[in-house]
Amino acid sequence: MKRFFFVCLSLSAGLLGGCSDSQTIVTDAGLAGAYDLTFVGNYIFITSSDRNELRVLDLGASPRDFVRAPNPLEPLSIPVLQRPLNLTRDVSYGTTDADLGKETAGPYVYARSAGSQELSVVAAAPEYFKEVKRLGVGGFITAFTARGPRGGGNSILYYATQSPEGATIYRMELPGPEALLAMGSEAPPSEIRLSLPGQTVTALLSLPATREAPEQEHLAVATRRVASESQGNPAFRTFRWDAVSGQVLQEYAFGAPVRLLATHPRVEKTAFETQICALDATTPAKSTLEAGAYVFGVLDESSCGQQTCSGVLAVDAITGELAIDSTQLPMQPISVGTALPTGLTLAPAAALQIRCIEQGSTGLVQVSEFQARPLVGIVPASNGQITFFDAVKMRPFDLDSTGVRIGSRTYLDAAGQTRTITRGSLDQIIDVQMVDGATQDDTYRLVYQGLLPNLVGRSLSDAALVQCSSTECAFQVGASALSQRDVEAQDTVVLANDAGACATDLTVTRTEALADGRGIAFTPSLPPDCANPVSFSFRAGGNRPFAVYSDGQGYVGRMGDGATGQFTVAGGYFFRPPGFDPNRPPFKALLTLYINRESLAPLPQRGDQFTVSTVSGYIPFVFSVDTSSGTGLGAYRLPGPVVYTEVAGTSYAYIAYPSADGVLQFNTASILSNTANSTGLVPYE
C-alpha cells in the first residue's frame, strides 16, 4: 500500500503552519474502480468496484482521510454486491418554515451494478457503515433514486427494472437500519407503480415535496424506446410522475433522450449584484428558486448523434417547458463541445474566483473577484475539462464582457512571410462584419489565386478525370463544384510534370453540368511547352480570385474585390450575449476586400494571402487538471460523476476519476478558469 506524508513548515515563524489544499497528500486507500460517488453529511461514499466494496472519505477529519477500519492502519471497507458501479442516496427537502427547501440526506446509500438484479442498502451513519440489506429484484436494474424519511417515517426506494416486455418502476419502503437488520433474510415488500411496455428507464430523480403537500412523492422519469420495439412507442420521454397515484403529471420538453437527471435545493435570492465581473446584469426571471423548481438533464448523445443533442438542458418542473434564460428565450444546451458530459451537479452559493475581461481606460484588462454565485452547474466532460455554468440564468458564464472584435490583420507572401506595405492600410483593405453570439474565434486566410478543394495534384492520366483532344480538355470537377461555384470560368489550371510546375497555365473557358450528374470544366488543349504533364491543380481566378480558408473549418468558399465580391461565412448562434436579438440573421463573418492600384502596394501575387482573425468575445468558465509531470495528478485525465458540498464554509466539488482509481477534491474558490489547475486539488486514492 502506498503511503504519502507531508509536513508544512513555517520557517519565518519557526512554527507549524497550515497546509494548503494543493500541498496536502493523503494516505492511499487502495481504491480500485472509482466509478461513482455520493455523500451523506460529512462523508463521501466511493465505489471500489474491482474489490466489491465502498470506501468512505471523512470530510470532518483533520487531516481529511478515509474512515479507518477497526485496525486503524487500514481504511474501512464496506462489502456490497459485485462490481458496484452506481450509487444513490436518500434525500429529502424541508417543507416547513424552519427548513423550507433545505436538502437533507437520509440514513441510506444504495449501490447497483450493470446487468445486476440486486441492490445493496448501506447504512450511512458512522455507527453502522455497513450493508444492512441485499435486495434481490425481478429484473435488471437500469435506474434508481430514493427519498429520505420525513417526520420519523420510512425511507422510500424507487427502482426501474428491464424485461423483454419493457420497463417497470417499483416502490419500496425501508424502515431504519435497526429494523431492517432485524428482518434478517426477509425483504421489505415492493409494489409495482408503473409499467412502460417497450421502454427502458434511463434515469430517475426524486423531486422535492412542497410546503402545501409535504407527503407528495413525485419523480422525474426519463425513458427511451427499446431498439427492437415497433415505432408505435415514443422514441423517448421524460416526465413528472406521481408515485402514489401512478399518474403522469407533466411531460418534460427536453426534446431529446435524457440519461442523467438532477435538481437543486431552495435558492433564497437569485439576484447577484457586483461592480466587477457582473458577466450578465439582467434580472433573473424568478427572485427565489423553490427546491426542485428546475429539473436539469444530461442529453443522451447515443440515440441522435453527438452534435445534434449533446449537453445539459433544464425544464420548469411544473410546466415542463424549457427553462427561460436571461434573454427571455428558451435556453440553449450548455455545451461541452465535441466531448460528452460525464456528470452533473448543482451547487448553491458556490464560491468561485471569477476572472473576466473588461474594457479598461488603457484597453482590455483582466480583473478578478471572489463571488458566491446563487446556483452553479458543474459538468465534467470526457475530454478532461470541467465546466461551471450559471444555473439561475440558464447560460454559460461568459468571462469576456467586451463582445466580438477583430484580433489581427496581416498580409503574407506565398512562403508565409510578412509583406511590407508601402501604400495603404490593412484596416482599410480588410473589412469584417461580425455578429455577437455567432462569430467564433477563428482566422480567415484570403489566398490570392488559391488552390481549390479536392482539385489539387490530380492525375492527368486518369481518363475518368481528364479527356483531352487537339482543341480542348475536359476536366471532371464534380457537380457540387459547379453548383457551389467553387469552379468558374477564368479559373486557372496549373499543370505539373516530373520537373515541377509547367510555365504555361490553362484557363477555364466554360463549365457545364451534364445530365448524368457530372460537372465539367473546359480549357484549351495541353500546351506544347509542358512536356509529359502528370498532374493538374485548380486555382481561383476571374473576378473571384481569392480562395477563403478558415483555420477552424478549412476551405469555406471564394471571393472577389469590393462590395460585390464580399463573402459571408455562414453560421448560427452558439451563445446568446446580453441584448441578444433573435431576429438578427446570424453569420460567423462577412468578409470584404478593398484592393486597387491606388490603395495598396505591392499588389498580391499568386499564393499571397490576407489574414484576419476574429475574436468571439465569449469565454466560458472551463478548466482542466494539470496532469504534467511533478503535479502527481498524471492519471486524472477522465473525470466521471461529481458531487458538491460545503465543509466549514468552504465550497468543495468531488469528482470520481476512473482513469486514476481516485477521487479529486476541488476547492472551487481556488480554481482558475481556462487553464490547467493543480492548486486547490487534492487526490484521494
Side-chain angles (χ1 to χ4, degrees):
M1 177 179 294
K2 298 178 292 182
R3 299 180 186 277
F4 302 92
F5 301 91
F6 188 91
V7 178
C8 293
L9 297 178
S10 176
L11 297 179
S12 60
L15 299 173
L16 286 174
C19 297
S20 74
D21 284 340
S22 62
Q23 296 170 315
T24 306
I25 305 177
V26 301
T27 302
D28 187 336
L31 291 175
Y35 294 109
D36 203 359
L37 75 174
T38 190
F39 74 98
V40 176
N42 276 345
Y43 299 98
I44 303 286
F45 292 78
I46 309 159
T47 64
S48 186
S49 295
D50 295 350
R51 295 177 176 170
N52 308 324
E53 65 185 10
L54 306 184
R55 303 281 186 166
V56 185
L57 180 63
D58 185 356
L59 306 185
S62 182
R64 201 158 292 167
D65 196 3
F66 286 92
V67 172
R68 312 315 294 174
N71 175 1
L73 297 179
E74 298 292 335
L76 177 70
S77 167
I78 302 178
V80 291
L81 79 172
Q82 290 188 349
R83 296 198 59 78
L85 294 178
N86 302 103
L87 301 178
T88 193
R89 59 176 181 146
D90 287 334
V91 64
S92 62
Y93 298 84
T95 57
T96 68
D97 290 341
D99 64 354
L100 188 62
K102 181 181 178 181
E103 182 181 280
T104 303
Y108 294 126
V109 166
Y110 306 88
R112 69 180 180 92
S113 62
S116 172
Q117 300 186 48
E118 289 186 319
L119 278 169
S120 285
V121 182
V122 174
E127 59 268 28
Y128 296 103
F129 278 160
K130 65 179 181 180
E131 182 187 61
V132 292
K133 183 64 66 178
R134 182 81 57 88
L135 300 174
V137 301
F140 297 112
I141 302 168
T142 62
F144 59 174
T145 188
R147 183 182 302 275
R150 292 190 299 269
N154 294 333
S155 297
I156 305 174
L157 171 67
Y158 311 91
Y159 59 92
T161 64
Q162 192 66 34
S163 70
E165 292 74 32
T168 305
I169 300 178
Y170 293 84
R171 176 185 184 276
M172 177 185 288
E173 290 198 31
L174 300 171
E178 287 297 331
L180 200 56
L181 286 168
M183 296 177 70
S185 60
E186 181 183 353
S190 62
E191 51 183 332
I192 296 176
R193 302 306 300 166
L194 183 64
S195 296
L196 297 164
Q199 302 281 302
T200 185
V201 176
T202 57
L204 292 172
L205 175 67
S206 176
L207 297 175
T210 65
R211 187 198 329 242
E212 296 74 23
E215 299 302 318
Q216 75 178 22
E217 295 181 30
H218 291 181
L219 271 64
V221 181
T223 73
R224 281 179 53 188
R225 182 174 58 215
V226 177
S228 60
E229 287 296 318
S230 69
Q231 299 301 307
N233 291 309
F236 57 85
R237 291 176 69 193
T238 304
F239 54 89
R240 187 182 184 108
W241 171 65
D242 188 333
V244 175
S245 69
Q247 297 298 307
V248 173
L249 303 175
Q250 182 64 59
E251 297 287 338
Y252 283 161
F254 282 102
V258 171
R259 58 179 171 85
L260 177 63
L261 293 164
T263 192
H264 56 86
R266 189 173 193 267
V267 178
E268 181 67 30
K269 181 181 179 182
T270 60
F272 182 82
E273 298 176 359
T274 180
Q275 299 301 313
I276 299 175
C277 296
L279 308 186
D280 179 355
T282 59
T283 302
K286 299 179 180 181
S287 61
T288 297
L289 292 185
E290 298 301 334
Y294 294 112
V295 175
F296 292 78
V298 174
L299 304 183
D300 187 348
E301 309 83 356
S302 65
S303 64
C304 59
Q306 178 174 301
Q307 295 304 307
T308 55
C309 64
S310 178
V312 176
L313 281 174
V315 296
D316 186 294
I318 302 301
T319 68
E321 297 300 316
L322 278 180
I324 302 301
D325 67 15
S326 61
T327 67
Q328 304 307 307
L329 293 170
M331 70 177 293
Q332 294 177 303
I334 304 298
S335 173
V336 293
T338 59
L340 306 180
T342 56
L344 169 66
T345 195
L346 286 309
L352 304 180
Q353 183 178 173
I354 301 294
R355 303 190 304 167
C356 68
I357 305 296
E358 295 187 345
Q359 184 68 48
S361 57
T362 59
L364 300 181
V365 295
Q366 184 180 71
V367 295
S368 66
E369 182 179 66
F370 289 98
Q371 300 177 354
R373 287 279 170 167
L375 189 65
V376 176
I378 305 176
V379 186
S382 59
N383 59 0
Q385 293 188 331
I386 299 151
T387 298
F388 289 162
F389 70 90
D390 189 333
V392 168
K393 297 186 177 179
M394 303 299 171
R395 53 173 283 170
F397 290 117
D398 179 10
L399 305 181
D400 186 343
S401 64
T402 59
V404 292
R405 56 192 180 273
I406 293 175
S408 64
R409 298 177 175 91
T410 61
Y411 185 19
L412 307 175
D413 64 20
Q417 300 301 308
T418 300
R419 297 204 69 179
T420 301
I421 297 177
T422 58
R423 182 171 65 248
S425 163
L426 288 179
D427 291 354
Q428 299 171 330
I429 293 166
I430 309 172
D431 180 70
V432 187
Q433 295 182 39
M434 297 164 287
V435 177
D436 205 357
T439 296
Q440 298 182 341
D441 296 333
D442 208 340
T443 296
Y444 298 99
R445 304 180 184 277
L446 287 49
V447 184
Y448 184 67
Q449 295 184 2
L451 292 165
L452 300 177
N454 304 317
L455 293 171
V456 179
R458 305 299 294 273
S459 173
L460 269 170
S461 62
D462 188 343
L465 295 177
V466 186
Q467 293 183 355
C468 289
S469 67
S470 59
T471 58
E472 68 178 2
C473 290
F475 292 85
Q476 163 68 279
V477 296
S480 63
L482 300 186
S483 63
Q484 297 173 14
R485 299 184 64 201
D486 289 335
V487 174
E488 298 176 333
Q490 302 305 310
D491 284 348
T492 299
V493 180
V494 179
L495 304 174
N497 55 24
D498 291 339
C502 296
T504 302
D505 298 332
L506 299 176
T507 300
V508 176
T509 57
R510 61 189 174 91
T511 62
E512 184 176 349
L514 303 182
D516 61 6
R518 291 181 298 158
I520 306 297
F522 295 92
T523 71
S525 60
L526 298 177
D529 62 351
C530 184
N532 302 315
V534 296
S535 67
F536 68 91
S537 301
F538 274 67
R539 286 184 175 272
N543 60 5
R544 296 202 305 155
F546 289 91
V548 183
Y549 289 85
S550 153
D551 284 3
Q553 297 176 252
Y555 174 84
V556 292
R558 49 188 294 182
M559 64 183 294
D561 182 29
T564 59
Q566 63 186 192
F567 179 75
T568 300
V569 183
Y573 288 109
F574 67 93
F575 175 71
R576 293 174 183 156
F580 172 74
D581 180 3
N583 296 315
R584 181 180 182 183
F587 54 80
K588 291 182 179 179
L590 176 58
L591 304 167
T592 310
L593 284 173
Y594 297 100
I595 303 173
N596 57 58
R597 295 184 182 277
E598 289 72 34
S599 65
L600 175 65
L603 292 170
Q605 306 298 312
R606 177 177 291 178
D608 290 355
Q609 59 180 282
F610 298 99
T611 75
V612 58
S613 64
T614 57
V615 180
S616 66
Y618 167 65
I619 303 177
F621 197 132
V622 176
F623 66 96
S624 62
V625 175
D626 186 350
T627 57
S628 62
S629 176
T631 64
L633 303 173
Y636 288 84
R637 300 180 181 275
L638 179 61
V642 55
V643 298
Y644 168 84
T645 189
E646 288 189 6
V647 180
T650 301
S651 301
Y652 292 104
Y654 292 84
I655 301 180
Y657 277 79
S659 61
D661 277 333
V663 168
L664 205 52
Q665 172 185 284
F666 296 78
N667 181 335
T668 60
S670 298
I671 296 300
L672 299 181
S673 58
N674 297 285
T675 190
N677 284 255
S678 60
T679 300
L681 278 58
V682 182
Y684 296 95
E685 301 173 353

